Amino acid sequence: ARGVNKVILIGNLGADPELRYTASGTAVAKFRIATTEVFNDKQGNRQERTDWHRITAWGKLAEICGQYLSKGRQVYIGGPIRNDSWEQDGVKRYSYEIVADTMQMLGGAGDRGTGRDYEAPFTPPEGGVPDDDIPF
């Protein structure tokens, strides 16, 4: 049986996307979005929890993100989650990112919401792109 690796997030950008190009000319956009969960604790008090998510988009989708997304913008992102681990000063570190394959700008006309879905026509190679080819 095959597994499913698909994350769906709706959140707000913490900063404008960083759009760069690999040595081979492929666009790469990196940005972070915040999702906020509202809940009541055991005492009935309203609480909020905000999580930050690292997003990477490739190809034409990266160019669209770089052109249309900006800090504070609400956005829908879909794609697989990728993880990485390394050791630093004897401590095991972990990193997670969402590789966006779908993006939809949300909100009204005042924040340039189009309601249009953008699908990624480019899929990074299996195992990713060598780190020396990514300009971040």
Side-chain angles (χ1 to χ4, degrees):
R2 295 176 60 175
V4 175
N5 182 357
K6 179 74 171 185
V7 174
I8 296 173
L9 298 170
I10 295 176
N12 296 83
L13 273 76
D16 293 348
E18 291 183 44
L19 178 63
R20 308 254 177 105
Y21 292 85
T22 65
S24 60
T26 302
V28 183
K30 291 187 176 270
F31 54 97
R32 292 170 38 110
I33 66 170
T35 57
T36 301
E37 172 188 10
V38 178
F39 60 95
N40 291 326
D41 63 17
K42 291 180 181 179
Q43 292 76 32
N45 299 317
R46 180 184 156 151
Q47 301 290 325
E48 287 188 5
R49 174 186 162 147
T50 299
D51 290 305
W52 287 92
H53 311 276
R54 291 180 28 211
I55 313 295
T56 301
W58 292 89
K60 184 66 175 170
L61 183 59
E63 292 176 343
I64 291 168
C65 289
Q67 181 177 359
Y68 293 106
L69 297 183
S70 58
K71 180 178 180 175
R73 181 68 193 254
Q74 188 178 48
V75 66
Y76 166 100
I77 296 289
I81 189 168
R82 300 282 187 243
N83 62 57
D84 192 16
S85 63
W86 67 96
E87 193 167 314
Q88 181 179 355
D89 300 326
V91 177
K92 188 87 168 184
R93 306 280 183 179
Y94 299 92
S95 169
Y96 299 91
E97 72 175 350
I98 309 306
V99 180
D101 59 24
T102 304
M103 182 275 291
Q104 181 176 2
M105 294 174 279
L106 303 175
D111 56 2
R112 299 187 306 204
T114 65
R116 181 172 174 198
D117 286 333
Y118 295 93
E119 299 278 337
F122 172 82
T123 303
E126 187 66 34
V129 175
D131 286 342
D132 58 349
D133 198 31
I134 300 176
F136 292 95

mmCIF file of all heavy atoms in Angstrom, residues 7-28:
data_model
loop_
_atom_site.group_PDB
_atom_site.id
_atom_site.type_symbol
_atom_site.label_atom_id
_atom_site.label_comp_id
_atom_site.label_asym_id
_atom_site.label_seq_id
_atom_site.Cartn_x
_atom_site.Cartn_y
_atom_site.Cartn_z
ATOM 1 N N VAL A 7 -0.237 18.120 2.789
ATOM 2 C CA VAL A 7 -0.555 19.082 3.834
ATOM 3 C C VAL A 7 -1.395 20.186 3.216
ATOM 4 O O VAL A 7 -1.113 20.629 2.103
ATOM 5 C CB VAL A 7 0.740 19.677 4.434
ATOM 6 C CG1 VAL A 7 0.431 20.777 5.421
ATOM 7 C CG2 VAL A 7 1.572 18.583 5.073
ATOM 8 N N ILE A 8 -2.415 20.634 3.935
ATOM 9 C CA ILE A 8 -3.237 21.763 3.504
ATOM 10 C C ILE A 8 -3.198 22.798 4.619
ATOM 11 O O ILE A 8 -3.508 22.484 5.773
ATOM 12 C CB ILE A 8 -4.681 21.327 3.213
ATOM 13 C CG1 ILE A 8 -4.707 20.343 2.049
ATOM 14 C CG2 ILE A 8 -5.563 22.540 2.937
ATOM 15 C CD1 ILE A 8 -6.067 19.722 1.787
ATOM 16 N N LEU A 9 -2.804 24.018 4.274
ATOM 17 C CA LEU A 9 -2.707 25.095 5.253
ATOM 18 C C LEU A 9 -3.414 26.333 4.733
ATOM 19 O O LEU A 9 -3.367 26.624 3.535
ATOM 20 C CB LEU A 9 -1.240 25.464 5.507
ATOM 21 C CG LEU A 9 -0.337 24.393 6.091
ATOM 22 C CD1 LEU A 9 1.117 24.845 6.049
ATOM 23 C CD2 LEU A 9 -0.756 24.068 7.513
ATOM 24 N N ILE A 10 -4.053 27.057 5.634
ATOM 25 C CA ILE A 10 -4.556 28.400 5.352
ATOM 26 C C ILE A 10 -3.960 29.289 6.419
ATOM 27 O O ILE A 10 -4.144 29.045 7.613
ATOM 28 C CB ILE A 10 -6.090 28.473 5.376
ATOM 29 C CG1 ILE A 10 -6.675 27.623 4.255
ATOM 30 C CG2 ILE A 10 -6.552 29.925 5.267
ATOM 31 C CD1 ILE A 10 -8.193 27.550 4.247
ATOM 32 N N GLY A 11 -3.208 30.284 5.980
ATOM 33 C CA GLY A 11 -2.545 31.158 6.934
ATOM 34 C C GLY A 11 -2.140 32.462 6.286
ATOM 35 O O GLY A 11 -2.481 32.738 5.129
ATOM 36 N N ASN A 12 -1.394 33.256 7.046
ATOM 37 C CA ASN A 12 -0.955 34.568 6.585
ATOM 38 C C ASN A 12 0.563 34.612 6.471
ATOM 39 O O ASN A 12 1.262 34.092 7.349
ATOM 40 C CB ASN A 12 -1.428 35.654 7.552
ATOM 41 C CG ASN A 12 -2.936 35.738 7.578
ATOM 42 O OD1 ASN A 12 -3.591 34.975 8.278
ATOM 43 N ND2 ASN A 12 -3.483 36.636 6.808
ATOM 44 N N LEU A 13 1.050 35.262 5.413
ATOM 45 C CA LEU A 13 2.485 35.386 5.206
ATOM 46 C C LEU A 13 3.106 36.282 6.273
ATOM 47 O O LEU A 13 2.575 37.350 6.577
ATOM 48 C CB LEU A 13 2.789 35.975 3.828
ATOM 49 C CG LEU A 13 2.883 34.958 2.684
ATOM 50 C CD1 LEU A 13 1.527 34.485 2.257
ATOM 51 C CD2 LEU A 13 3.665 35.529 1.545
ATOM 52 N N GLY A 14 4.248 35.848 6.792
ATOM 53 C CA GLY A 14 4.970 36.629 7.778
ATOM 54 C C GLY A 14 5.876 37.669 7.157
ATOM 55 O O GLY A 14 6.286 38.617 7.815
ATOM 56 N N ALA A 15 6.200 37.510 5.884
ATOM 57 C CA ALA A 15 7.056 38.449 5.151
ATOM 58 C C ALA A 15 6.844 38.195 3.665
ATOM 59 O O ALA A 15 6.262 37.182 3.273
ATOM 60 C CB ALA A 15 8.527 38.244 5.520
ATOM 61 N N ASP A 16 7.307 39.105 2.838
ATOM 62 C CA ASP A 16 7.248 38.890 1.395
ATOM 63 C C ASP A 16 8.068 37.658 1.019
ATOM 64 O O ASP A 16 9.102 37.395 1.649
ATOM 65 C CB ASP A 16 7.810 40.095 0.644
ATOM 66 C CG ASP A 16 6.956 41.342 0.794
ATOM 67 O OD1 ASP A 16 5.812 41.235 1.286
ATOM 68 O OD2 ASP A 16 7.449 42.421 0.424
ATOM 69 N N PRO A 17 7.655 36.894 0.015
ATOM 70 C CA PRO A 17 8.446 35.738 -0.415
ATOM 71 C C PRO A 17 9.819 36.169 -0.943
ATOM 72 O O PRO A 17 9.967 37.254 -1.501
ATOM 73 C CB PRO A 17 7.615 35.143 -1.566
ATOM 74 C CG PRO A 17 6.247 35.679 -1.394
ATOM 75 C CD PRO A 17 6.406 37.027 -0.754
ATOM 76 N N GLU A 18 10.803 35.305 -0.742
ATOM 77 C CA GLU A 18 12.122 35.491 -1.349
ATOM 78 C C GLU A 18 12.132 34.675 -2.627
ATOM 79 O O GLU A 18 11.986 33.462 -2.587
ATOM 80 C CB GLU A 18 13.225 34.977 -0.432
ATOM 81 C CG GLU A 18 13.430 35.785 0.817
ATOM 82 C CD GLU A 18 14.589 35.244 1.635
ATOM 83 O OE1 GLU A 18 15.654 34.929 1.038
ATOM 84 O OE2 GLU A 18 14.432 35.121 2.846
ATOM 85 N N LEU A 19 12.277 35.338 -3.756
ATOM 86 C CA LEU A 19 12.308 34.662 -5.049
ATOM 87 C C LEU A 19 13.730 34.689 -5.571
ATOM 88 O O LEU A 19 14.336 35.757 -5.703
ATOM 89 C CB LEU A 19 11.365 35.347 -6.045
ATOM 90 C CG LEU A 19 11.331 34.758 -7.453
ATOM 91 C CD1 LEU A 19 10.816 33.318 -7.435
ATOM 92 C CD2 LEU A 19 10.474 35.623 -8.370
ATOM 93 N N ARG A 20 14.253 33.515 -5.864
ATOM 94 C CA ARG A 20 15.600 33.383 -6.413
ATOM 95 C C ARG A 20 15.555 32.366 -7.538
ATOM 96 O O ARG A 20 14.539 31.745 -7.796
ATOM 97 C CB ARG A 20 16.575 32.896 -5.331
ATOM 98 C CG ARG A 20 16.544 33.711 -4.056
ATOM 99 C CD ARG A 20 17.753 34.591 -3.909
ATOM 100 N NE ARG A 20 17.674 35.416 -2.718
ATOM 101 C CZ ARG A 20 18.345 35.217 -1.606
ATOM 102 N NH1 ARG A 20 19.156 34.181 -1.518
ATOM 103 N NH2 ARG A 20 18.229 36.043 -0.594
ATOM 104 N N TYR A 21 16.687 32.194 -8.183
ATOM 105 C CA TYR A 21 16.796 31.233 -9.274
ATOM 106 C C TYR A 21 17.998 30.337 -9.040
ATOM 107 O O TYR A 21 19.046 30.812 -8.592
ATOM 108 C CB TYR A 21 16.905 31.959 -10.623
ATOM 109 C CG TYR A 21 15.632 32.661 -10.994
ATOM 110 C CD1 TYR A 21 15.345 33.940 -10.522
ATOM 111 C CD2 TYR A 21 14.675 32.023 -11.778
ATOM 112 C CE1 TYR A 21 14.156 34.575 -10.829
ATOM 113 C CE2 TYR A 21 13.481 32.654 -12.095
ATOM 114 C CZ TYR A 21 13.229 33.921 -11.619
ATOM 115 O OH TYR A 21 12.046 34.545 -11.927
ATOM 116 N N THR A 22 17.839 29.047 -9.337
ATOM 117 C CA THR A 22 18.956 28.122 -9.228
ATOM 118 C C THR A 22 19.954 28.424 -10.338
ATOM 119 O O THR A 22 19.659 29.183 -11.269
ATOM 120 C CB THR A 22 18.487 26.659 -9.359
ATOM 121 O OG1 THR A 22 17.982 26.453 -10.684
ATOM 122 C CG2 THR A 22 17.417 26.318 -8.329
ATOM 123 N N ALA A 23 21.127 27.802 -10.264
ATOM 124 C CA ALA A 23 22.152 27.993 -11.287
ATOM 125 C C ALA A 23 21.638 27.575 -12.664
ATOM 126 O O ALA A 23 22.051 28.121 -13.683
ATOM 127 C CB ALA A 23 23.410 27.206 -10.934
ATOM 128 N N SER A 24 20.691 26.641 -12.688
ATOM 129 C CA SER A 24 20.143 26.178 -13.966
ATOM 130 C C SER A 24 18.941 27.007 -14.421
ATOM 131 O O SER A 24 18.338 26.711 -15.439
ATOM 132 C CB SER A 24 19.760 24.699 -13.861
ATOM 133 O OG SER A 24 18.793 24.509 -12.851
ATOM 134 N N GLY A 25 18.565 28.055 -13.643
ATOM 135 C CA GLY A 25 17.504 28.963 -14.068
ATOM 136 C C GLY A 25 16.118 28.655 -13.553
ATOM 137 O O GLY A 25 15.149 29.296 -13.951
ATOM 138 N N THR A 26 15.979 27.684 -12.646
ATOM 139 C CA THR A 26 14.671 27.340 -12.091
ATOM 140 C C THR A 26 14.324 28.290 -10.945
ATOM 141 O O THR A 26 15.133 28.502 -10.041
ATOM 142 C CB THR A 26 14.670 25.889 -11.559
ATOM 143 O OG1 THR A 26 15.015 25.008 -12.633
ATOM 144 C CG2 THR A 26 13.311 25.506 -10.998
ATOM 145 N N ALA A 27 13.118 28.845 -10.966
ATOM 146 C CA ALA A 27 12.663 29.751 -9.911
ATOM 147 C C ALA A 27 12.376 28.975 -8.632
ATOM 148 O O ALA A 27 11.823 27.875 -8.665
ATOM 149 C CB ALA A 27 11.405 30.490 -10.359
ATOM 150 N N VAL A 28 12.769 29.572 -7.490
ATOM 151 C CA VAL A 28 12.500 29.011 -6.170
ATOM 152 C C VAL A 28 12.009 30.156 -5.282
ATOM 153 O O VAL A 28 12.686 31.164 -5.152
ATOM 154 C CB VAL A 28 13.765 28.405 -5.519
ATOM 155 C CG1 VAL A 28 13.414 27.759 -4.182
ATOM 156 C CG2 VAL A 28 14.443 27.416 -6.428
#
